[in-house]
């Protein structure tokens, strides 16, 4: 024995990875990472969102196959890199497949469990599974609050107690309206009761077209009929008085944006002037101006919409810390609501389920600590009783396909005090890259 001390070999970090394909549109990947302590990394993918949770905390990240984050392990911050892939070699697109996991630049030894696939025929299942649930009762999207609440209190949604959190909203639907500018010229709806996503803008000339701080012209995203919105919200309230003053009842709300240059996640984004939100009290609908040639648009989108009153529930992302049963109940309720809207909008009972564009109500992407922090910094609340309100939530799965990145929604937020003062220049636009 020479008395030299020997340093033991470092313990190689290990992780067990489990995969679950719950349906054609939903899946999840769970990683149990063993360092000094055990850590849980989860990715839950659906057509509406793909959040990642690390030890129960939702990460604010742009969606991608390489994810960087850190974990607090026995008082030490450990840097992690997760590499995944989807939809390759027959692997389902809704289940991220782990390719590599690094901790402090060292590879983690991975143990992959078999894919649990609940979409395969029963006799092909390797593991026993519960019987298929009864077909869901369609969400009563056109019903009143009482009918909607009764549906939410039924199985399997009742465990989440969502009825008390219903909020009225005005939903855009293209049902019966042809694409293009022709949709504004129908016998079904007066032109001043129609809203428009993409296409020409009302009440503006090419010379007046808004630009960002770099001089680049913005894209015309939306012109929304406020008379139609007001009527829709009044119908959703069932004639009950408005709880808090909302948008004007006349004219249009117009939104311009630079699409993928200014995301709205930093308070300094206001200096970029990457969006314009304005109210036109008496627009001339006979004066429509096409986007100037130098406006760079992902697609030549143009679609007229009618506006329908309905109700909304919070996103399942706001229930991430609840039990799995509660989270799943909210997720299923949200999916059924959007399924009903997709059928209403398209007339196709088999159409792929997508989110909606709506005014007021709950954010379809959820409001977590990161979103609240951004709004608090960008729109500080100084007046007593003031609050942040979601004004518009615009999906980019259909008409505005890929306008805000990979099907990310655009949200417009305002302080209640600014809304009442008609200070639309204070509106804050947020591209939900975390959704």
């Amino acid at each position: 024995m020479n008395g030299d001390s020997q340093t033991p070999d470092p313990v190689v970090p290990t992780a067990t990875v489990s995969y679950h394909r719950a349906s054609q549109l939903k899946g999840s990947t769970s990683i149990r990472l063993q360092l000094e302590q055990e850590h849980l990394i989860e990715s839950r993918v659906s057509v509406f969102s793909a959040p990642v949770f690390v030890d129960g905390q939702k990460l604010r990240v742009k969606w991608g196959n390489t994810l960087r984050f850190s974990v607090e392990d026995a008082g030490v911050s450990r840097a992690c890199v997760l590499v995944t892939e989807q939809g390759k070699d027959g692997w389902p697109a809704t289940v991220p497949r782990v390719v590599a996991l690094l901790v402090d630049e060292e590879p983690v030894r991975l143990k992959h469990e078999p894919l649990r696939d609940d979409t395969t025929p029963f006799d092909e299942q390797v593991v026993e599974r519960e019987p298929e649930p009864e077909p869901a009762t369609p969400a009563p999207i056109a019903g009143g609050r009482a009918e909607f609440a009764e549906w939410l209190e039924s199985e399997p949604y009742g465990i989440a107690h969502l009825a008390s959190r219903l909020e009225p909203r005005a939903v855009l639907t293209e049902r019966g309206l042809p694409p293009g500018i022709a949709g504004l010229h129908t016998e079904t709806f007066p032109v001043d009761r129609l809203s428009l996503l993409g296409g020409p803008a009302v009440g503006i000339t090419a010379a007046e077209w808004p630009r960002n701080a770099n001089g680049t012209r913005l894209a015309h995203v939306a012109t929304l009929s406020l008379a139609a919105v007001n009527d829709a919200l009044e119908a959703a309230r069932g004639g009950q008085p408005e709880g808090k003053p909302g948008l004007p009842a006349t004219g249009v709300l117009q939104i311009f944006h630079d699409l993928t240059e200014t995301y709205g996640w930093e308070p300094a984004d206001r200096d970029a002037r990457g969006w314009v939100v304005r109210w036109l009290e008496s627009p001339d609908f006979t004066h429509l101006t096409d986007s100037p040639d130098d406006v760079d648009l992902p697609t030549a989108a143009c679609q007229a919409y009618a506006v329908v009153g309905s109700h909304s529930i919070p996103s399942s992302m706001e229930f991430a810390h609840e039990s799995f049963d509660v989270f799943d109940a909210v997720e299923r309720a949200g999916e059924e609501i959007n399924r009903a809207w997709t059928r209403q909008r398209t007339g196709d009972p088999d159409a792929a389920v997508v989110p909606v564009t709506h005014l007021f109500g709950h954010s379809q992407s959820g409001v977590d600590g990161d979103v609240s922090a951004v709004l608090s910094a960008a729109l500080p609340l100084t007046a007593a009783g003031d609050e942040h309100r979601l004004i518009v939530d615009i999906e980019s799965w259909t008409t505005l396909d890929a306008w805000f990145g990979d099907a990310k929604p655009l949200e417009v937020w305002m302080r209640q005090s600014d809304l009442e003062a008609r200070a639309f220049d204070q509106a804050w636009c947020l591209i939900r890259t975390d959704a």
Side-chain angles (χ1 to χ4, degrees), residues 229-264:
V229 169
N230 183 69
D231 289 349
L233 291 172
E234 185 175 349
R237 293 194 301 269
Q240 296 297 313
E242 189 175 24
K244 296 181 287 286
L247 289 163
T250 59
V252 298
L253 187 70
Q254 207 163 56
I255 303 169
F256 296 84
H257 202 284
D258 64 14
L259 304 187
T260 56
E261 292 184 33
T262 311
Y263 288 89

Side-chain angles (χ1 to χ4, degrees), residues 242-414:
E242 189 175 24
K244 296 181 287 286
L247 289 163
T250 59
V252 298
L253 187 70
Q254 207 163 56
I255 303 169
F256 296 84
H257 202 284
D258 64 14
L259 304 187
T260 56
E261 292 184 33
T262 311
Y263 288 89
W265 284 100
E266 302 295 337
D269 283 351
R270 188 180 292 280
D271 297 335
R273 302 205 304 272
W275 60 77
V276 169
V277 179
R278 65 177 193 159
W279 170 42
L280 302 183
E281 187 173 3
S282 302
D284 180 3
F285 288 96
T286 64
H287 180 74
L288 296 172
T289 301
D290 290 326
S291 296
D293 292 339
D294 59 349
V295 176
D296 187 16
L297 299 175
T299 59
C302 179
Q303 177 66 57
Y305 289 82
V307 186
V308 180
S310 189
H311 294 84
S312 70
I313 62 172
S315 163
S316 60
M317 296 303 102
E318 297 182 26
F319 294 77
H321 302 301
E322 300 285 347
S323 69
F324 176 81
D325 289 341
V326 170
F327 179 90
D328 188 60
V330 181
E331 181 86 353
R332 291 177 67 179
E335 187 171 339
E336 288 305 319
I337 291 169
N338 281 301
R339 189 187 313 281
W341 274 116
T342 301
R343 290 173 176 173
Q344 191 278 343
R345 291 169 59 191
T346 65
D348 181 2
D350 299 319
V353 180
V354 295
V356 298
T357 292
H358 68 106
L359 292 90
F360 293 109
H362 292 281
S363 164
Q364 295 175 105
S365 304
V367 179
D368 60 10
D370 291 323
V371 174
S372 296
V374 168
L375 295 176
S376 295
L379 301 173
L381 303 177
T382 57
D386 208 356
E387 63 178 307
H388 296 120
R389 293 190 69 185
L390 174 68
I391 307 302
V392 190
D393 186 347
I394 301 176
E395 58 92 358
S396 63
W397 285 83
T398 55
T399 298
L400 302 181
D401 181 25
W403 273 40
F404 307 108
D406 186 13
K408 301 304 181 184
L410 173 69
E411 294 180 347
V412 181
W413 290 84
M414 291 183 68

